[in-house]
Amino acid sequence: MKDISLHLMDIAQNSITAGATVIKISLIYKDGLLIFRLSDNGCGMNEEMLSKVTDPFTTTRTTREVGMGIPLLKLSAEMTGGSFEIKSREGSGTTVEARFIADSIDRIPVGSVDETLGALILANPEIDYEVNFQCDHLNFELRTSDIKEYLNGVSISNFEVIGWIAERVREGLKEVFGGVLNEISG
Amino acid sequence: MKSLAELEAIREKALKEINLRDNTGKTRVVVGMATCGIAAGARPVMNAFVDELNKRNVQNVNVTMTGCIGVCRLEPIAEVITADGVKTTYVKLDPEKARKIVVEHLINGRPVKEYTISEAE
């Protein structure tokens, strides 16, 4: 995957398949690390599945015998000298955390998190998404549950609403990471 | 800077349109968004569908995504399912083709044969 936002698009599908009703997405810059974390309240995995999940030949789908999403994310993180962790409890949910060394020459850019979010919300508007960007003391948060409350009767998957949300997320990325991450102008 | 006032304006506009909308069945556009699709460029294809539909103010079309359809070498793939249940599978898409599909198929009712899976095999 060329950037983190595409990994997000990919990994979030797992949460949706797992029947998650809440998906929390975080991007945190701390101590030279860029941490991408995704947490869901889906059906989770048992110990056996969890132990195999980073293997590209492990998948729950039936159309193919490979599942590349998680192994590719692990690779992207480790390529920078970073690390990868996945935790899960059957019946509770799963948390995926990829830690990138921020100024490694091999770190893929953050990418268009706004586009990915827009597409995810459009396709699965019933899910509550919580987005969080953090860098030192700077913090950005967006929750689709708040937006739905505000919309009060208008669907969140209205194309213009999605456009508004995407733009807001784009702004948030700049506010928090501008000038800190090379690819985001401040 | 995106403001709540702007969101409010979008809300008001949408509420007005809800009353005007006619209730013919919905057409669905389902874009393949598995790892293969994403790597092949499905996200810009989905955005192009949404953007063109929005630009032309087309109502009654839902855009959504699905997992692996099983023909990864033909990604990006999108299925158009009209209200009467007729399904057209488009393959090897890009944003330009997506926009053409919106105009020719979704608005004018003429599927774009050369982008379909039967033409690709």
Side-chain angles (χ1 to χ4, degrees), chain A residues 7 21 50 60 70 81-82 94 111 113 123 138 142 144 171 179-180 182:
Chain A
H7 277 298
T21 55
L50 184 59
T60 54
I70 289 174
T94 298
V113 179
L138 291 168
L142 183 139
T144 58
E171 279 169 5
V180 174
N182 298 329

Side-chain angles (χ1 to χ4, degrees), chain A residues 38-109:
Chain A
L38 186 145
S39 201
D40 72 54
N41 66 345
C43 61
M45 295 177 273
N46 61 25
E47 265 179 51
E48 201 208 326
M49 185 61 182
L50 184 59
S51 67
K52 297 189 300 186
V53 79
T54 55
D55 174 4
F57 293 102
T58 294
T59 182
T60 54
R61 64 177 172 171
T62 51
T63 49
R64 277 277 189 277
E65 294 187 15
V66 289
M68 303 291 301
I70 289 174
L72 283 175
L73 176 55
K74 179 169 186 277
L75 177 67
S76 284
E78 290 178 347
M79 232 162 54
T80 69
S83 61
F84 178 84
E85 193 181 36
I86 180 164
K87 292 196 266 212
S88 189
R89 249 196 18 231
E90 209 170 13
S92 294
T94 298
T95 296
V96 170
E97 186 171 292
R99 301 173 154 230
F100 300 80
I101 305 262
D103 54 14
S104 160
I105 199 169
D106 294 312
R107 176 178 69 79
I108 53 174

